[in-house]
């Protein structure tokens, strides 16, 4: 667990990561609040709060008496949410630091293109 984030946020992020990594597929049951509580020694209510966030966002859905399951749109929802968080929160700070270091826009674009080419070769 990461002490910089609230525990329920970490629970939600763990499930999102399992979905993005292909460990949880559409229709699969997510880990239960009891599983989170036992594995991470956290309060089940805290785990439930994290999972309920994902239900509210449309990433998981509840089956009464059976648990929570991954929706068909989960990957798209997670990617869009993280994309927006990146554009709103991370990219502006990154650009600010790049400018402080004197890296030109053209140099940055060239570096990005090189990285993309290397990633394409490795894929």
């Amino acid at each position: 667990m990461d002490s910089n984030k609230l525990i329920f946020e970490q629970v939600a992020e763990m499930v999102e990561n399992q979905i993005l990594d292909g460990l949880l597929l559409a229709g699969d049951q997510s880990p239960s609040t009891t599983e989170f509580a036992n594995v991470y020694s956290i309060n089940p209510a805290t785990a439930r709060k994290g999972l309920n966030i994902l239900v509210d966002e449309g990433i998981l859905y509840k089956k009464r008496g059976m648990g929570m399951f991954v929706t068909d749109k989960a990957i798209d929802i997670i990617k869009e949410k993280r994309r927006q968080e990146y554009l709103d929160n991370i990219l502006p700070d990154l650009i600010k630091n790049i400018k402080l270091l004197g890296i030109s826009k053209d140099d940055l674009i060239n570096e990005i293109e090189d990285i993309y080419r290397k990633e394409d070769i490795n894929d």
Side-chain angles (χ1 to χ4, degrees):
M1 301 299 256
D2 178 0
S3 62
N4 294 326
K5 288 186 179 182
L6 298 172
I7 295 171
F8 70 88
E9 292 173 338
Q10 294 177 64
V11 168
E13 190 174 282
M14 280 189 260
V15 174
E16 287 179 352
N17 289 341
Q18 289 177 346
I19 293 167
L20 290 176
D21 292 340
L23 301 173
L24 284 175
L25 304 173
D28 285 353
Q29 186 171 12
S30 87
S32 69
T33 57
T34 304
E35 289 173 289
F36 275 109
N38 291 336
V39 170
Y40 297 103
S41 300
I42 61 174
N43 186 315
T46 302
R48 188 174 307 109
K49 186 172 182 178
L51 294 174
N52 282 332
I53 288 170
L54 299 178
V55 170
D56 293 342
E57 293 175 348
I59 294 167
L60 298 179
Y61 65 94
K62 293 181 182 181
K63 281 188 182 178
R64 188 168 176 85
M66 297 185 66
M68 298 187 196
F69 296 81
V70 179
T71 67
D72 292 338
K73 299 284 186 188
I75 290 176
D76 294 334
I77 293 167
I78 296 165
K79 284 182 177 181
E80 179 56 28
K81 178 175 106 172
R82 291 191 178 184
R83 179 186 163 281
Q84 201 57 51
E85 285 173 4
Y86 189 86
L87 292 174
D88 292 344
N89 301 320
I90 296 170
L91 193 56
D93 285 339
L94 180 64
I95 298 297
K96 179 181 175 182
N97 287 323
I98 286 170
K99 286 181 175 182
L100 285 173
L101 294 171
I103 299 170
S104 73
K105 181 176 155 185
D106 290 337
D107 287 343
L108 176 62
I109 290 169
N110 288 334
E111 287 296 321
I112 291 170
E113 288 173 345
D114 286 346
I115 291 168
Y116 265 85
R117 271 192 294 279
K118 289 176 187 172
E119 288 295 320
D120 287 341
I121 291 170
N122 293 330
D123 287 341

